């Protein structure tokens, strides 16, 4: 749960978390005007309670959350946080997929395409800003764009949508909302190599590997072992 300096609070149920798994929770916070700047403004207190399965006990942690409130913001501090921007983009992607699916299920395909198109403009801007940083941020932003572009292709006609599109949109929306990769055959995970390994797929593999995945290193290893076992 969490609370702010004006009283009240919010309870967020995260659900089960596996070893080395992490989830981001996005908050919108309204702060009051200040009479003078400060380097440590208390936004609220974050309290976390959970069952530690390994230790077989209930545990609780608490941390106060501070932000700087200067007179003016300049330079790098004036730029939006890449991490926060990506989390907003994740939520926008998931909501867009769910809302467009609802429109399409009702036969309103033009409205569904318009909903996706509006979000694509925003997400392409996010991807353009993330490209300079490269790495996982770029993969993540690019994947949001690709998922909505795929949703548009799956709405080309009613048969394509009903036979394939609706299921794909639901699965991708759930994955982004829960920040968890759910498909064994997910692109970017298939045939993934450990660092330094060679792969006979060559350039085609490299292009496929750039697809963002919420799976952590341990999950990838377990899923790779499972694929090897079941393919025998």
């Amino acid at each position: 749960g969490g609370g702010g300096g004006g009283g009240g609070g919010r309870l967020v149920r995260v659900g089960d978390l596996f070893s080395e798994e992490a989830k981001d929770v996005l908050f919108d916070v309204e702060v009051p005007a200040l009479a003078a700047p400060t380097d440590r403004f208390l936004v609220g207190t974050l309290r976390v309670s959970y069952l530690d399965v390994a230790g077989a006990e209930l545990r609780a942690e608490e941390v106060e959350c501070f932000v700087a409130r200067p007179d003016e913001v300049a330079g790098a501090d004036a730029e939006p946080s890449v991490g926060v921007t990506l989390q907003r983009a994740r939520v926008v992607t998931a909501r867009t997929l769910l809302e467009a699916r609802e429109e399409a299920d009702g036969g309103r395909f033009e409205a569904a395409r318009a909903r996706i198109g509006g979000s694509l403009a925003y997400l392409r801007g996010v991807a353009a800003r993330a490209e300079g940083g490269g790495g996982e941020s770029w993969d993540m932003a690019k994947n949001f764009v690709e998922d909505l572009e795929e949703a548009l292709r799956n709405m080309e006609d009613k048969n394509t949508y009903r036979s394939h599109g609706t299921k794909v949109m639901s699965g991708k929306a759930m994955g982004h909302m829960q920040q968890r990769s759910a498909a064994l055959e997910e692109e970017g995970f298939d045939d993934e190599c450990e660092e330094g390994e060679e792969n006979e797929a060559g350039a085609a593999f490299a292009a496929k590997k750039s697809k963002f995945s919420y799976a952590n290193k341990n999950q990838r290893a377990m899923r790779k072992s499972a694929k090897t076992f079941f393919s025998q």
Side-chain angles (χ1 to χ4, degrees):
R10 296 292 183 271
L11 176 66
V12 178
R13 299 187 185 278
V14 178
D16 293 339
L17 287 176
F18 300 108
S19 175
E20 296 188 13
E21 187 176 18
K23 292 189 178 183
D24 292 282
V25 181
L26 194 63
F27 291 93
D28 283 318
V29 181
E30 293 184 359
V31 295
L34 298 180
T38 176
D39 291 333
R40 283 173 59 84
F41 175 80
L42 179 62
V43 175
T45 302
L46 180 66
R47 300 181 180 89
V48 180
S49 58
Y50 61 97
L51 171 63
D52 180 358
V53 177
E57 62 177 332
L58 290 172
R59 302 187 62 179
E61 308 288 344
E62 180 175 310
V63 61
E64 292 181 323
C65 304
F66 294 91
V67 296
R69 301 283 305 278
D71 266 337
E72 295 182 3
V73 180
D77 290 338
E79 296 297 320
S81 163
V82 173
V84 173
T85 299
L86 286 172
Q87 291 308 313
R88 286 191 181 278
R90 174 181 63 81
V91 174
V92 166
T93 301
R95 286 180 176 171
T96 298
L97 288 168
L98 292 173
E99 291 168 5
R101 180 177 178 269
E102 184 177 352
E103 295 283 8
D105 285 347
R108 300 178 294 276
F109 285 91
E110 287 302 319
R113 295 187 191 101
R115 179 71 182 87
I116 293 173
S119 294
L120 266 175
Y122 162 72
L123 293 171
R124 283 170 178 152
V126 172
R129 293 194 297 273
E131 184 175 7
E136 189 171 279
S137 295
W138 163 231
D139 289 342
M140 186 178 188
K142 185 173 62 172
N143 187 48
F144 297 149
V145 173
E146 291 172 350
D147 282 353
L148 292 197
E149 289 176 341
E150 181 182 1
L152 278 180
R153 291 193 297 272
N154 287 333
M155 287 185 180
E156 289 180 354
D157 57 72
K158 292 181 180 180
N159 289 336
T160 300
Y161 174 73
R162 290 171 179 167
S163 64
H164 179 71
T166 182
K167 294 186 287 291
V168 172
M169 290 171 69
S170 294
K172 289 183 180 296
M174 182 179 298
H176 291 312
M177 278 295 191
Q178 297 184 355
Q179 300 172 68
R180 183 171 288 172
S181 300
L184 186 63
E185 300 301 327
E186 180 181 325
E187 287 186 72
F189 169 76
D190 280 359
D191 305 318
E192 184 167 350
C193 293
E194 295 297 326
E195 186 175 353
E197 280 188 42
E198 295 294 330
N199 187 282
E200 61 185 11
F205 168 76
K208 193 174 187 182
K209 188 175 180 179
S210 67
K211 188 81 169 179
F212 177 79
S213 172
Y214 289 105
N216 62 43
K217 187 174 181 179
N218 282 352
Q219 288 170 320
R220 292 187 181 108
M222 287 188 291
R223 290 165 70 173
K224 185 176 180 179
S225 297
K227 285 188 64 177
T228 301
F229 175 81
F230 287 112
S231 64
Q232 294 175 348

